[in-house]
Amino acid sequence: MILSLDLDSDAPIYQQIRDRIVEAIASGHLVEGSSLPSTRQLAVDLGINFHTVNKAYDLLRREGMLRINRKSGALVQRDARSGPPEPGFTAEWETRLRTLLAEAVAHGAGDPAVLDSCRSVLTSFTSPASDSPAPASRKRAELGAEQGDSTR
Amino acid sequence: MILSLDLDSDAPIYQQIRDRIVEAIASGHLVEGSSLPSTRQLAVDLGINFHTVNKAYDLLRREGMLRINRKSGALVQRDARSGPPEPGFTAEWETRLRTLLAEAVAHGAGDPAVLDSCRSVLTSFTSPASDSPAPASRKRAELGAEQGDSTR
DNA sequence: GCTCTGTTATAGCCTTTATAGAACAGAGCG
DNA sequence: CGCTCTGTTCTATAAAGGCTATAACAGAGC
């Protein structure tokens, strides 16, 4: 996994980075305690400015997904097995879910078709779709492109 | 239904208008053929500029949800019973669904909890939650606030 | 003729996005 | 110690997006 970005997309780059990391956590490619590349390193790999990566990491930190220290860098704070979400998150998330599902229904998708899509997405997270779901020893997992590990 | 906006939200106003109309179509408050208020009228009711409403309507037109003529104004083009969505829509929609569901899973929500939320949202559309689901005779339905009908 | 409609154009102001350069302190390592 | 990498903070810039504002035009209904 290389954290593919679409520079032609209308979605901001920092938002795309944030979304890809969230999906990596949901699919188990990143687990609680996994360390992410440094902002400068990931910026070099993606060919973008390190401030943009910093913005994505800071957004994930404010969402409670990352824990960032000066010594250990960015560590994954939560994953699918970290316990139920906070009530405040669920309420805000369901309003966005309502808007997204309304879009499908308004376009003519029936309830069974929508639920099938939801089930299909959820199973794509839990089942080993593409890669192995990140053994615990892997650090800097699958994000930092081709160079080896931390000592550089 | 008054199309409530949140001017303090970080979401753009035209996006909020678009979302509320999509949800109104999904819940049956607006059906195929329903006419929406004019851009100028809705702008006055909401206390915003009519260009902002125009942007929301134009976005809905490009998404295939509205049909806009100079004579009849903005009419609902699709609703839940207008047939299945185009394949191109489904593919793009599922990528957004994937990001949204990944967020819930990463925060610790289990698959059953996520699917329950989806089911709950879908039934809130089909079941008569608050108002009556728009009898066919109503035009300018529930959107233009307190004044009566088209003749003004 | 009058009014309302959608449509288009221009302009200004503010925020956001992404870039860039610079500097600082803490930590690890030879 | 010097060197390097780290996160953090600051300032600055150019580009794009969001919202408002004013104006003008043509089609439709009364």
Side-chain angles (χ1 to χ4, degrees), chain A residues 8 13 28 58 125 135 140:
Chain A
D8 295 333
I13 297 177
D58 189 64
F125 291 150
R140 312 258 154 157

Side-chain angles (χ1 to χ4, degrees), chain A residues 14-115:
Chain A
Y14 81 94
Q15 185 77 40
Q16 294 184 47
I17 297 174
R18 177 262 183 198
D19 289 347
R20 295 300 88 76
I21 292 178
V22 169
E23 290 168 13
I25 296 175
S27 62
H29 290 88
L30 293 175
V31 296
E32 183 173 337
S34 296
S35 83
L36 271 59
S38 71
T39 56
R40 285 179 171 85
Q41 185 58 49
L42 184 54
V44 170
D45 295 343
L46 297 176
I48 59 175
N49 192 274
F50 86 97
H51 287 104
T52 306
V53 180
N54 199 16
K55 188 167 187 175
Y57 280 14
D58 189 64
L59 175 59
L60 286 162
R61 180 189 59 77
R62 283 185 277 112
E63 290 177 342
M65 306 296 309
L66 293 185
R67 182 176 60 252
I68 303 179
N69 311 9
R70 194 184 298 265
K71 32 195 340 180
S72 53
L75 301 178
V76 174
Q77 172 96 0
R78 292 189 66 88
D79 63 8
R81 293 151 207 81
S82 300
E86 311 86 20
F89 165 79
T90 304
E92 185 271 344
W93 177 82
E94 280 198 357
T95 68
R96 283 184 290 150
L97 177 69
R98 178 177 174 82
T99 301
L100 186 65
L101 296 191
E103 195 173 333
V105 171
H107 272 84
D111 288 15
V114 172
L115 282 175

Side-chain angles (χ1 to χ4, degrees), chain B residues 82-151:
Chain B
S82 300
E86 311 86 18
F89 165 79
T90 305
E92 185 269 346
W93 178 80
E94 280 198 356
T95 67
R96 283 183 288 151
L97 177 68
R98 178 179 175 84
T99 302
L100 186 65
L101 295 190
E103 194 173 332
V105 171
H107 272 83
D111 288 14
V114 173
L115 282 175
D116 278 348
S117 291
C118 295
R119 266 188 286 265
S120 169
V121 168
L122 288 175
T123 57
S124 79
F125 291 150
T126 50
S127 73
S130 50
D131 297 294
S132 63
S137 61
R138 284 288 293 275
K139 300 301 179 93
R140 310 259 156 156
E142 272 100 0
L143 270 173
E146 46 274 347
Q147 77 287 352
D149 215 326
S150 60
T151 60

Side-chain angles (χ1 to χ4, degrees), chain B residues 23-46:
Chain B
E23 291 168 13
I25 295 175
S27 62
H29 290 87
L30 292 175
V31 297
E32 183 174 338
S34 294
S35 83
L36 272 59
S38 71
T39 56
R40 285 180 171 87
Q41 185 57 50
L42 184 53
V44 170
D45 295 344
L46 297 175

Side-chain angles (χ1 to χ4, degrees), chain A residues 132-147:
Chain A
S132 64
S137 62
R138 282 290 294 273
K139 301 301 180 92
R140 312 258 154 157
E142 274 100 358
L143 269 172
E146 47 274 345
Q147 80 286 354

